[in-house]
Amino acid sequence: MCGIVCYVGKKEAKPILISGLKRLEYRGYDSAGAALCDEQGNLHIYKTKGKVAALEELMGTKRYHETIGIAHTRWATHGEPSAINAHPLYSQNEELAIVHNGIIENFREIKQDLLEKGYTFQSETDSEVLVQFILYVKESRKLSLFKAVQLALQNVIGAYAIALIDKKDPHTLVVARKSSPLVIGVGKDNEEFYVGSDASPIIEHTRNVIYLNDEEVAMLTAGKAPHIETLKGNAMKHMPSFLSLDIGAIEKGGYPHFMLKEIYEQPHSLRDCMSGRIAGDKQSVVLSSIIDHGNTLINARRFIIVACGTSWHAGLIGKQLIEDLVRIPVEVEYASEFRYRNPVLNSHDVVIAISQSGETADTYAALQLAKERGAFTYAFCNSVGSSISRLADTGAYIHVGPEIGVASTKAFTGQVTALAMFAIALASLGQKAPKPLLHELIHSLSEMPDHIEQILEEVDSVKELAKFFKEKGNCIYLGRGYNYPVALEGALKLKELSYIHAEGYPAAEMKHGPIALVDANMPIIVVATKDKTYDKIVSNIMEIKARKGKIIAIVSKNDEHISELADYIIKVPQIHHMLEPLLTSIPLQLLAYYIAVEKGCNVDQPRNLAKSVTVE
């Protein structure tokens, strides 16, 4: 949830940390802080409630020639947002400073033990408990910081990505991770090192990166090769990977918000997602994971999709695609529930994890459980080298580029596109669907970017509709079949961005309770394209009209009937109904965006939210 950026080398650390925090602020923006150490061993810590700009102002322009530093932008878990609870956090003797992303589950027991030993605490955070515990281990065992971190973490339960500096050694940075992301950027000849929660604060400085594995600790000293060991002391050798990320992809590029940029990137991002996977003759889909593991997949007893939030909605669409085309039953589970149940799993099951970041804590834990129970595991992720992608037996990257806006847009359509290609390729392998149908779907997929561009050209009507919503306090979204998950996703986007209460329902379920909410002030958004449920959804609309509900309908371009019934309409191109979510979701993304803009909300950083949920 939080963002970590660190530096050790020969350059001034302060501007590197501030620039890096700004790139990571989408991960958390409740408070921010930095700790820097100068050549004389003086440790300077700056912390403030609020965003990185407030920290930058607090730090001012004064320089102390500090060539090592750790910094953090926080999404609060333990302790409310405040300067006291902001990171970095001191040890009691003010020699050690730590930044931490994750949750230490047994911090209460450790804290009680330290209190009995005479330690005092200034904050409410589990992170301060961790740095005090490391200090205790270091002093009581007379260990180096590296060895103290190694030993202390053997007694810690939970998730962490941490970085520490010791003012007695102002040239060395110690970092470690478990179930929380951490990337090490390696400078030329090991002269300097950069550390980040992801690659965004590193890319402008170096293309060579090391991805630490779970329960590994690294000691980074300028001019020396990284020293990496497991918690148990086994030496590890990591060869740096080349980072291909384009720095332009993590900048706004003239758009007022990252979210709007990412909405408009979808034609390009879906072309990237399909590149090299759809054959030139548009007759087949090629996925290396199916080439390598096709027999295991096609002979599965069932698929279980585990995901959270928007990825869960994509999973609901994936369920229908796989069941329609491959004829293997699919269950879709919230990863947070799946991991705490006692699910029945065996080697004939395939568990599919969907996560944009590849670091979602609940999804990672669900995948771990699946592997322990003997299931074959598959992952759809966007971030190359992420924890989930490395844990799974196989998978497919969605390749839509970095998504900075907290509310997911292009990752959602990328996930649905990847799931569609997965279902088509598997159906073709198992000869489970008619070839003409598969060819039609492949052709429609290849044309999808052009269709989305057409929708984006009609944005003015959505802007006008957003003004109608500005003062509304509630909204209902309806859809059927493949468009029911789109209704759920549309409602989620509205809640995330504009703080308007919204709920998504299958349209036929309206009369089983929610219709009691309908009156002249209730906006009802209906995804009502021309599929096999069209006549049914017309009846649902009539039921709402009879109670004076305001209908906003997403309809096919050649629609006439619903267009006459609805108060407002947004038209999309007509395509095969299995792929409609890729089009019908776009107007709902735009609508949520422009409503939030009309209300003056912070689109890229909605309150109480962060991009990657790396804690429970």
Side-chain angles (χ1 to χ4, degrees):
M1 286 296 235
C2 308
I4 290 173
V5 60
C6 314
Y7 174 78
V8 59
K10 297 179 180 179
K11 298 174 185 173
E12 287 283 353
K14 176 183 168 182
I16 294 169
L17 298 183
I18 289 295
S19 173
L21 285 181
K22 288 178 178 177
R23 294 201 186 282
L24 287 172
E25 198 165 25
Y26 70 95
R27 299 179 69 92
Y29 31 86
D30 291 335
S31 57
L36 302 102
C37 198
D38 62 27
E39 294 292 325
Q40 290 71 46
N42 298 308
L43 189 59
H44 306 113
I45 291 188
Y46 309 85
K47 306 197 297 181
T48 182
K49 180 180 178 180
K51 298 186 179 180
V52 174
L55 175 66
E56 186 175 20
E57 184 178 351
L58 175 69
M59 295 176 76
T61 58
K62 192 172 182 179
R63 301 280 177 87
Y64 297 96
H65 191 57
E66 300 148 323
T67 58
I68 184 172
I70 57 178
H72 189 268
T73 179
R74 182 174 186 246
W75 185 86
T77 53
H78 291 74
E80 67 180 23
S82 67
I84 290 175
N85 290 327
H87 297 213
L89 293 150
Y90 268 129
S91 61
Q92 183 168 281
N93 64 2
E94 298 188 352
E95 291 182 358
L96 307 182
I98 191 172
V99 290
H100 168 222
N101 184 14
I103 290 179
I104 306 304
E105 295 177 9
N106 62 333
F107 82 99
R108 293 179 183 85
E109 295 91 333
I110 296 172
K111 184 175 184 178
Q112 184 59 41
D113 186 50
L114 292 174
L115 286 169
E116 292 171 3
K117 289 179 169 64
Y119 282 75
T120 58
F121 296 86
Q122 304 301 315
S123 75
E124 305 169 70
T125 67
D126 56 335
S127 306
E128 186 185 6
V129 174
L130 183 55
V131 72
Q132 299 283 42
F133 184 45
I134 291 168
L135 173 66
Y136 166 71
V137 173
K138 181 176 183 290
E139 292 189 330
S140 64
R141 302 289 185 94
K142 300 188 184 325
L143 299 174
S144 67
L145 177 60
F146 179 83
K147 288 297 182 183
V149 168
Q150 202 173 39
L151 183 56
L153 291 180
Q154 292 181 41
N155 296 281
V156 164
I157 299 170
Y160 53 80
I162 59 171
L164 296 100
I165 52 177
D166 183 345
K167 74 177 189 180
K168 289 183 177 179
D169 185 5
H171 304 286
T172 300
L173 183 66
V174 176
V175 302
R177 65 148 290 182
K178 179 185 177 183
S179 302
S180 194
L182 204 65
V183 183
I184 299 171
V186 183
K188 184 180 179 182
D189 298 324
N190 297 314
E191 290 181 354
E192 58 187 357
F193 297 96
Y194 304 82
V195 177
S197 293
D198 60 38
S200 59
I202 294 172
I203 184 62
E204 62 184 294
H205 304 290
T206 180
R207 295 275 180 172
N208 297 314
V209 298
I210 291 171
Y211 297 98
L212 285 185
N213 295 316
D214 273 359
E215 297 189 340
E216 289 184 346
V217 187
M219 181 167 59
L220 308 174
T221 304
K224 296 182 180 181
H227 180 74
I228 303 173
E229 295 183 11
T230 66
L231 295 188
K232 297 299 179 71
N234 299 318
M236 304 298 292
K237 185 72 174 176
H238 287 272
M239 294 302 295
S241 303
F242 181 77
L243 193 62
S244 59
L245 177 65
D246 178 7
I247 194 169
I250 57 173
E251 296 177 341
K252 288 182 184 176
Y255 286 88
H257 300 98
F258 278 110
M259 182 182 176
L260 188 63
K261 178 194 177 203
E262 288 154 8
I263 289 172
Y264 274 85
E265 283 178 341
Q266 285 174 108
H268 176 73
S269 66
L270 293 195
R271 289 187 182 105
D272 285 346
C273 179
M274 293 182 280
S275 179
R277 293 166 165 174
I278 291 183
D281 60 4
K282 299 179 183 178
Q283 300 292 297
S284 62
V285 170
V286 179
L287 292 178
S288 59
S289 58
I290 291 181
I291 293 173
D292 296 338
H293 302 282
N295 287 337
T296 299
L297 294 166
I298 202 68
N299 291 313
R301 183 187 66 171
R302 60 173 175 168
F303 292 127
I304 303 170
I305 295 174
V306 292
C308 303
T310 286
S311 297
W312 187 79
H313 297 155
L316 293 175
I317 297 167
K319 168 185 169 68
Q320 296 184 66
L321 286 163
I322 294 167
E323 289 187 341
D324 269 352
L325 298 177
V326 188
R327 308 307 297 159
I328 292 175
V330 182
E331 299 171 13
V332 185
E333 299 254 12
Y334 283 114
S336 55
E337 291 296 313
F338 181 83
R339 64 178 291 196
Y340 285 114
R341 292 197 296 102
N342 185 22
V344 178
L345 291 169
N346 59 44
S347 59
H348 298 293
D349 295 323
V350 173
V351 175
I352 300 173
I354 307 176
S355 168
Q356 186 281 138
S357 67
E359 304 291 349
T360 309
D362 287 321
T363 307
Y364 182 86
L367 205 62
Q368 279 185 314
L369 175 63
K371 288 180 73 71
E372 290 168 3
R373 300 287 176 89
F376 187 80
T377 56
Y378 194 104
F380 287 100
C381 297
N382 190 33
S383 299
V384 176
S386 58
S387 299
I388 289 172
S389 64
R390 287 184 286 162
L391 177 64
D393 293 311
T394 189
Y397 288 113
I398 64 173
H399 291 311
V400 297
E403 187 177 68
I404 306 300
V406 167
S408 182
T409 52
K410 66 178 182 176
F412 173 74
T413 51
Q415 289 167 349
V416 174
T417 300
L419 284 160
M421 290 190 293
F422 173 85
I424 291 168
L426 203 54
S428 180
L429 175 69
Q431 300 180 348
K432 297 293 182 105
K435 283 187 177 180
L437 170 60
L438 298 181
H439 294 164
E440 180 184 359
L441 291 172
I442 295 169
H443 185 77
S444 292
L445 268 182
S446 66
E447 292 186 331
M448 199 63 61
D450 296 333
H451 291 320
I452 293 174
E453 285 173 347
Q454 292 176 36
I455 295 171
L456 293 173
E457 288 171 0
E458 304 295 328
V459 71
D460 287 344
S461 60
V462 179
K463 287 182 182 179
E464 287 301 311
L465 182 55
K467 295 176 182 177
F468 162 74
F469 269 89
K470 185 176 179 180
E471 304 302 328
K472 300 298 179 183
N474 297 281
C475 185
I476 293 174
Y477 285 70
L478 302 177
R480 297 189 77 144
Y482 279 85
N483 281 314
Y484 162 51
V486 175
L488 295 175
E489 175 64 8
L492 177 61
K493 286 289 158 286
L494 190 65
K495 284 183 279 197
E496 287 178 316
L497 296 173
S498 68
Y499 320 136
I500 294 172
H501 176 251
E503 296 295 334
Y505 289 98
E509 289 299 301
M510 271 293 290
K511 52 184 170 287
H512 295 286
I515 200 165
L517 299 172
V518 175
D519 60 21
N521 295 314
M522 175 66 80
I524 314 285
I525 296 178
V526 186
V527 187
T529 48
K530 281 197 171 178
D531 60 17
K532 61 184 180 182
T533 66
Y534 182 80
D535 291 337
K536 301 296 184 184
I537 211 160
V538 169
S539 298
N540 299 142
I541 290 173
M542 296 295 290
E543 292 165 357
I544 296 165
K545 291 294 289 183
R547 290 154 181 86
K548 305 188 184 304
K550 296 292 183 184
I551 299 290
I552 300 95
I554 312 294
V555 299
S556 303
K557 278 202 168 176
N558 61 351
D559 181 273
E560 293 180 0
H561 193 180
I562 292 177
S563 297
E564 294 176 353
L565 296 173
D567 298 279
Y568 304 90
I569 61 165
I570 300 172
K571 293 190 173 184
V572 298
Q574 185 165 356
I575 57 168
H576 195 284
H577 73 277
M578 291 186 189
L579 301 177
E580 281 182 345
L582 290 169
L583 298 186
T584 53
S585 60
I586 305 298
L588 301 186
Q589 293 173 358
L590 287 166
L591 185 59
Y593 171 82
Y594 283 112
I595 291 168
V597 170
E598 282 287 328
K599 294 188 68 175
C601 299
N602 189 331
V603 173
D604 284 335
Q605 298 174 350
R607 69 186 183 204
N608 303 331
L609 296 178
K611 182 66 179 173
S612 302
V613 185
T614 58
V615 296
E616 288 192 62

